[in-house]
Amino acid sequence: MANATKRTRDFIALEEQYGAHNYHPLDVVVHRAKGSWVYDVEGKKYLDCLAAYSAVNQGHCHPAILKAFQAQAKKVTLTSRAFRNDQLPLLSKKLHDLTGFDLSLPMNSGAEAVETAIKAARKWGYTVKGIPENQAEIICAADNFHGRTTTIISFSTEAQYRAGFGPFTPGFRIVRYGDISALTSAINRNTAAFLVEPIQGEAGIIVPPAGYLREAARLCRENNVLLIADEIQSGLGRSGKLFAYQHEGISPDMVIIGKALGGGYYPISAVLSRKEVLGVFQPGDHGSTFGGNPLAAATALAALDVLQKEKLVDRSARLGEYFIKKLRAIRSPHVKEVRGKGLWIGFVLDMKARPYCEALMKEGILCKETHENVIRFAPPLVITKQEIDWAVRRIERVVSSLD
Ligand SMILES: *Cc1c(COP(=O)(O)O)cnc(C)c1O
């Protein structure tokens, strides 16, 4: 912040004075954005290599999504689910056509969709599987990230996410991620579901051993346990497939999506599943005032259209491979590993990544450290090869300055 101008400093001072300090953002004050680029209040431009944690896969302020968003904003934005609207049915159909799942249930944030999946799995456990009342267990993986509600942090293994927030919700068991025998021993007759990220994002883009998800899916099927894939960050093209679980050719019982579903314009999330699972919800069981509102639905429809029309999934696979190859070619004793799938890359250093992110910011690249020593490169999927080359030159420069 030392060489930030007064304009930047003033915004930061206001935020620090009047806002709760539950984040530690980089000291860039964004004013506008377009595609893969964001511009700060000084007019300086940056390549966005975080894409709002993958919520803007379609690129910032995509014109086609803007058009749908504005058109709907003029018609009707909110009806509540007490009445029907003419956008939600189209989104439900689109999600079915795109993913093959029978039903979807719309919510707003990712965490709410995770909560919804947990409620569906528990009710399925009691009413379909026959688990005795209040005995249902859900298995989760260590180092997971599924959101910040009180129930969700109850099965987090991150000390800071829990500290000071107990008492916690019971009914969850933790197993080592990527370890099939741990999962095998955790399953018992009260197990309703296994909730897992096909690739762990916040943990540092951790890709599990090949075959892990396939084996987990088989175990779940054999034991009448629902496999729930949290694809909030990994899904909608980020990993180079529509869903990251497709890398293993499996089909989970429930899939949770969010983030890029709103194209960066609007918070919308959803749970996708089969009739036997989401069918457990009866009118009055569950709900959300804003869930499935027409503005969200129209925006999500456009966001999914962009994903398809611009072939962003293929693009992520192709350019992700290119980006990883270029990053692996950077020779430095400080780079321990470059891992990931699609345009979702963990760049692992042998030192704290935060100062490195600050140095990259000065070079015009915005990214965020995750887990101390990992930098996540996850640009909008509309990024070009030239922009990747531009970024790699700067990343290389900053890495060499570490020596
Ligand atoms: C971001 C994220 C969530 C939580 O989504 P919010 O919209 O922040 O509530 C849940 N799961 C995963 C894998 C995520 O990346």
Side-chain angles (χ1 to χ4, degrees), residues 109-111 145-147 197 230 232-233 259:
S109 66
F145 183 83
H146 297 288
E197 297 159 87
D230 181 342
I232 292 170
Q233 191 167 157
K259 293 201 166 109

Coordinates of all heavy atoms in Angstrom, one line a residue, residues 109-111 145-147 197 230 232-233 259, ligand 1:
S109 N -26.4 -19.0 -2.7 CA -25.0 -19.2 -2.5 C -24.6 -20.7 -2.6 O -25.5 -21.5 -2.5 CB -24.6 -18.6 -1.2 OG -25.1 -19.4 -0.1
G110 N -23.3 -20.9 -2.7 CA -22.9 -22.3 -2.8 C -23.2 -23.0 -1.4 O -23.6 -24.1 -1.4
A111 N -22.9 -22.3 -0.3 CA -23.1 -22.9 1.0 C -24.5 -23.3 1.1 O -24.8 -24.4 1.7 CB -22.7 -21.9 2.1
F145 N -13.4 -28.0 1.5 CA -14.0 -26.7 1.6 C -15.4 -26.7 1.0 O -15.5 -27.0 -0.2 CB -13.2 -25.5 0.9 CG -13.9 -24.2 1.2 CD1 -13.7 -23.5 2.3 CD2 -14.8 -23.7 0.2 CE1 -14.3 -22.3 2.6 CE2 -15.4 -22.5 0.5 CZ -15.2 -21.8 1.7
H146 N -16.4 -26.5 1.8 CA -17.8 -26.6 1.3 C -18.6 -25.3 1.6 O -19.8 -25.3 1.4 CB -18.5 -27.8 1.8 CG -17.9 -29.1 1.3 ND1 -18.0 -29.6 0.0 CD2 -17.2 -30.0 2.0 CE1 -17.4 -30.7 -0.1 NE2 -16.8 -31.0 1.1
G147 N -17.9 -24.3 2.3 CA -18.6 -23.1 2.6 C -18.5 -22.8 4.1 O -17.6 -23.3 4.8
E197 N -15.3 -33.1 -2.9 CA -14.9 -32.3 -4.1 C -14.0 -33.2 -5.0 O -13.0 -33.7 -4.5 CB -14.0 -31.1 -3.6 CG -14.6 -30.1 -2.7 CD -13.6 -29.3 -1.9 OE1 -13.1 -28.3 -2.4 OE2 -13.2 -29.7 -0.8
D230 N -19.3 -32.0 -4.9 CA -19.4 -30.5 -4.8 C -18.6 -29.9 -5.9 O -17.4 -30.0 -5.9 CB -18.8 -30.0 -3.4 CG -18.9 -28.5 -3.3 OD1 -19.0 -27.8 -4.3 OD2 -18.7 -28.0 -2.1
I232 N -19.0 -26.8 -7.1 CA -19.2 -25.4 -7.1 C -18.1 -24.6 -7.7 O -18.3 -23.7 -8.5 CB -19.5 -24.9 -5.6 CG1 -20.8 -25.5 -5.1 CG2 -19.5 -23.4 -5.5 CD1 -21.1 -25.3 -3.6
Q233 N -16.9 -25.1 -7.4 CA -15.7 -24.4 -8.0 C -15.1 -25.2 -9.2 O -14.7 -24.6 -10.2 CB -14.6 -24.2 -6.9 CG -13.5 -23.3 -7.4 CD -12.5 -22.9 -6.2 OE1 -11.4 -22.5 -6.5 NE2 -13.0 -22.9 -5.0
K259 N -21.3 -20.6 -8.1 CA -20.3 -19.7 -8.7 C -20.6 -19.4 -10.1 O -21.4 -18.5 -10.4 CB -18.9 -20.4 -8.5 CG -18.5 -20.4 -7.0 CD -17.0 -20.5 -6.7 CE -16.7 -20.1 -5.2 NZ -16.4 -21.2 -4.4
Ligands
LIG1 C1 -16.9 -21.5 -3.0 C2 -17.3 -22.8 -2.6 C3 -18.3 -23.1 -1.8 C4 -19.2 -22.1 -1.1 O1 -19.8 -21.2 -2.0 P1 -20.3 -19.8 -1.5 O2 -21.1 -19.3 -2.6 O3 -19.1 -19.0 -1.1 O4 -21.2 -20.1 -0.3 C5 -18.6 -24.5 -1.5 N1 -17.9 -25.5 -2.1 C6 -16.8 -25.2 -2.9 C7 -16.0 -26.4 -3.4 C8 -16.5 -23.9 -3.1 O5 -15.4 -23.6 -3.9

